[in-house]
Structures are given as structure tokens and as C-alpha cells.
Amino acid sequence: MAAVNPLDEGITLGRRDLDVLMVLGTSAQNFVDGLSTNLVPSESGQAIRTCFTDRAARILGTAYLLTREEGVVLVVHRMWTEALLEHLASKRLGQPLEFRNLSDRNHVCFVLNPTTDLPIGTWRVEGTATVARVHDALLLSIAPGPMPASIDDASAAWTHWRVKHRWPEDGAEVTSDRHPLACGLEGTVHPNKGCYLGQEVLTRMRSRNKSGWLLKQGLVDEFDPTTITSESNGWALAIVRQTIQ
Amino acid sequence: MDCGTCESTTPVSTTEHEPVQVTLTITPKAKSMLVDAFDGADGHSLLVGVLSGGCSGYMYDLQIVDAEENDCQQLNVDGIVVQVPNASSHLLNGIEIDYIDRLMGGGFKINNPNAGSTCGCGESFG
């Protein structure tokens, strides 16, 4: 496989560690919205990143979420899949919803630094792939079939991109003992949304500006080495104690 | 993307709670308010359900309905017909339906022995 330069435009990286789940049903958007930290749009064609938390706001899973007419697609790191499905299933309570794991039928890639006119926070079909723009410089692509051998796995280039864009990754920054505000997922906690599991804790932290921990980006030398979660080319992401002014 | 909806994809099998035979109580104040709400109409009943969501994970859903709902248990509690969906019966067994008479935060209130935690507003439990 060719070496990947993280500064190149349009680098495609394979994500064999991501599962594609689907919640099917007319009330799927409402159902997922009631459990997630970010606002799930009701119209089809939208793409967001969101978290699922417990009552203490600890992370139960994160997902890239795509809204479709027939339900909601969740692209989830495999470390969360089983527990997240269990969590969702426990809240179904007879609602006409179905959960499907479509990972065997699809492969997921990231495209770093894409040249695209796709608006941020939306998805569309390009050829056989569903392509979502989840960040100014990041596309998520879900395509049918197995991962082509020609596609490199996410590794050094992905870490470089993440550190440059302060983009928290499952397993590195995002772990089940943290809450979203402590690991750089502030953007997944909607400021005006009420009544979801963990919301009281997150709202209190925000209103008092006390999250305890924060994800910081900087030079490796600026951080206590024990706080560094990712590093690349002398730069690092670190989860550090919040300093109250 | 292969969404798997055009053909028969096997749904993920998830553990479902077995329905339990629900018993519940209604306080005299709540009964009086329900009788008022039914307004003497025949065939009305109180549907006590649970929805997902809320600050604690589940939310109560009280409705007055005029028909027998699907997959529900029918109970007669002191002359009041109550329907409880089987899917949420494990969360509602043993509850007491009360009515709090005050200007703020008043209304029907459910005291639930299955709730490990309850939201401040009383509508959500977990």
C-alpha cells in the first residue's frame, strides 16, 4: 500500500473498527433523540456526531448519526456496539423499532481534507456510497461490500489529522469513565436540548463552567506526559484538569 | 450503502423483559380526579405507559383512552379501569398513582418502587 501523507487532500482511510447500525421505524428519530446528547434532526439527509450517556453523564457510546426516511444510521466504534445496542434495546418498551447491524454488508472509510461542496452536517449518495460531511475537513463514507484492499487503514495519518483538528477518538480520548465535556465532545452536547439521560449533570457543568477535565491541544512539551492521549509530529491532545479562573 | 431494508436482514436480537402481572394502587384523591376526568363516560380507561427518554431514562405516559389498546393488561382498581402495556409492565408493577393538589408541580404523581432514581420534575425515572 502507498504511504499516506496526512497533509494531502482527499486521503481515504479505511475504518475496519467502525460498525454500521440502523434503527428502523417511524419513531426512530424521536427514540434516539430522547437518549442522545445532541439534537437528532427530524428531517432526512442530516449528519451529526452524538453521544449516549448514563445518568451520571458517563459515556455509553458515541456515534456518527445519519437521518434517513426509514430510520437512523449509527456509525459506532466496535468498542461501544454491544453495550449501546443493549442500552437502546432496554429503552424500546414495545415501540415498533428494529435494530440492525449492517457492518457485514458495508465498509466505512474516512476521507481527510476533502474537496467537496457537500454542506457540513449533511449526507448524500455518491455512486453506491453514502457520504456524510461530519466536519469541515472530514467525510464519512459508507459503501456496500467489503473494504477494498487498496484502501489504507486509519493509523498515523488519522492520528495526525485528529491532533491537528482536536478531534477526539473512541478509545483514546473518549472512554466510558469520562463525560463528553471532558474529552473534547462539547460539540455533541446540544446547548438547548432538555431531558435526556445525563442532561442534568452536563447542564450543571456548563452553567457553572466546571467540567473538571478538558481536552487540550498543544505541543507535546507543554503537557504532563501522563495526560497525553494522542500525539503526532510534536503536537498532542491531552486531557487536563480544568483551571477555574 | 447497503441499508438492508430492501431484503430480509435479520434484526439484532435483543433481550426483552417478560411481561409481569401488574398490581397497582390508586389513592382516593387520584381516584376522585380520574372519575372527574372520565366525566361519567362509559368505556374510558386510564392508560399508564412508559416511554424512553427523560433525565432518568424513562418517562411516564398517562392517557385517558376510550378503547382497549393492543398488548395491554386490563386491571380494575377500585372501579377504575387501568391499562398497562406488557412491554413496560416490569417497570410499573407495584406503583401507586397519587394526585398532588398544589399550584406548582401538582397533578398526577406516580410512586414507583422499581425506580432507582427519579427526576426532579417527577416525570422521569430510571
Side-chain angles (χ1 to χ4, degrees):
Chain A
M1 290 181 196
V4 173
N5 180 346
L7 300 177
D8 285 349
E9 284 190 3
I11 304 164
T12 301
L13 299 173
R15 292 300 306 259
R16 289 178 169 81
D17 52 357
L18 297 183
D19 279 332
V20 182
L21 311 177
M22 193 154 183
V23 184
L24 278 169
T26 51
S27 60
Q29 271 96 348
N30 278 341
F31 172 75
V32 176
D33 186 54
L35 298 169
S36 95
T37 59
N38 210 345
L39 189 68
V40 177
S42 54
E43 67 272 29
S44 177
Q46 307 298 301
I48 60 164
R49 194 178 187 189
T50 193
C51 279
F52 298 90
T53 50
D54 67 12
R55 189 171 159 78
R58 281 185 297 260
I59 295 169
L60 298 170
T62 75
Y64 298 97
L65 183 153
L66 281 61
T67 55
R68 295 175 60 109
E69 291 292 339
E70 67 273 37
V72 166
V73 177
L74 299 171
V75 180
V76 177
H77 194 284
R78 201 152 295 139
M79 66 183 275
W80 306 115
T81 300
E82 196 177 331
L84 186 57
L85 279 171
E86 203 173 293
H87 175 63
L88 296 176
S90 73
K91 302 289 187 287
R92 176 164 51 179
L93 300 176
Q95 293 179 76
L97 298 165
E98 241 177 47
F99 305 107
R100 296 191 183 186
N101 191 334
L102 306 173
S103 308
D104 291 341
R105 308 164 77 99
N106 296 279
H107 64 277
V108 179
C109 295
F110 281 164
V111 183
L112 312 183
N113 315 318
T115 304
T116 178
D117 61 354
L118 183 63
I120 297 171
T122 65
W123 65 267
R124 70 182 172 209
V125 175
E126 295 182 3
T128 58
T130 295
V131 178
R133 192 168 186 190
V134 293
H135 179 277
D136 180 44
L138 182 64
L139 290 182
L140 167 78
S141 164
I142 311 168
M147 183 81 70
S150 58
I151 295 180
D152 285 318
D153 279 359
S155 54
W158 174 231
T159 306
H160 182 88
W161 187 96
R162 290 197 309 102
V163 172
K164 181 180 172 187
H165 293 280
R166 193 181 168 273
W167 191 255
E169 169 77 326
D170 299 298
E173 288 78 30
V174 186
T175 54
S176 59
D177 58 347
R178 295 186 176 127
H179 58 80
L181 303 179
C183 59
L185 288 170
E186 307 88 355
T188 69
V189 180
H190 194 273
N192 303 322
K193 187 181 163 185
C195 285
Y196 56 82
L197 208 49
Q199 182 249 340
E200 286 175 307
V201 175
L202 293 169
T203 300
R204 202 179 311 128
M205 285 181 191
R206 261 213 175 128
S207 65
R208 297 176 183 175
N209 191 27
K210 285 183 183 173
S211 63
W213 300 85
L214 289 172
L215 180 67
K216 292 269 191 183
Q217 175 197 52
L219 293 167
V220 169
D221 297 344
E222 295 172 9
F223 297 117
D224 172 349
T226 61
T227 65
I228 291 176
T229 51
S230 300
E231 62 177 279
S232 177
N233 291 357
W235 288 81
L237 297 179
I239 293 181
V240 299
R241 270 274 179 205
Q242 183 187 24
T243 310
I244 306 295
Q245 302 295 328
Chain B
M1 174 184 164
D2 180 351
C3 64
T5 53
C6 306
E7 51 189 281
S8 55
T9 314
T10 313
V12 174
S13 66
T14 50
T15 311
E16 301 287 342
H17 283 273
E18 288 293 319
V20 298
Q21 193 59 48
V22 171
T23 58
L24 59 83
T25 54
I26 301 175
T27 64
K29 181 69 182 169
K31 182 182 173 186
S32 161
M33 297 307 293
L34 283 169
V35 168
D36 280 355
F38 289 170
D39 200 22
D42 283 338
H44 280 45
S45 59
L46 176 69
L47 177 67
V48 185
V50 176
L51 303 171
S52 59
C55 302
S56 298
Y58 297 111
M59 292 184 299
Y60 296 112
D61 179 34
L62 294 184
Q63 295 178 45
I64 293 173
V65 294
D66 57 8
E68 195 171 328
E69 298 288 312
N70 287 335
D71 204 20
C72 278
Q73 300 174 23
Q74 283 233 23
L75 317 170
N76 190 317
V77 185
D78 299 334
I80 302 285
V81 179
V82 180
Q83 298 191 55
V84 178
N86 281 320
S88 45
S89 58
H90 63 289
L91 297 168
L92 295 170
N93 189 26
I95 62 168
E96 177 194 61
I97 301 172
D98 193 9
Y99 187 89
I100 305 294
D101 200 359
R102 62 176 175 231
L103 285 177
M104 288 186 71
F108 288 100
K109 182 177 187 300
I110 292 180
N111 300 312
N112 191 339
N114 308 296
S117 57
T118 305
C119 175
C121 65
E123 289 182 13
S124 179
F125 70 101

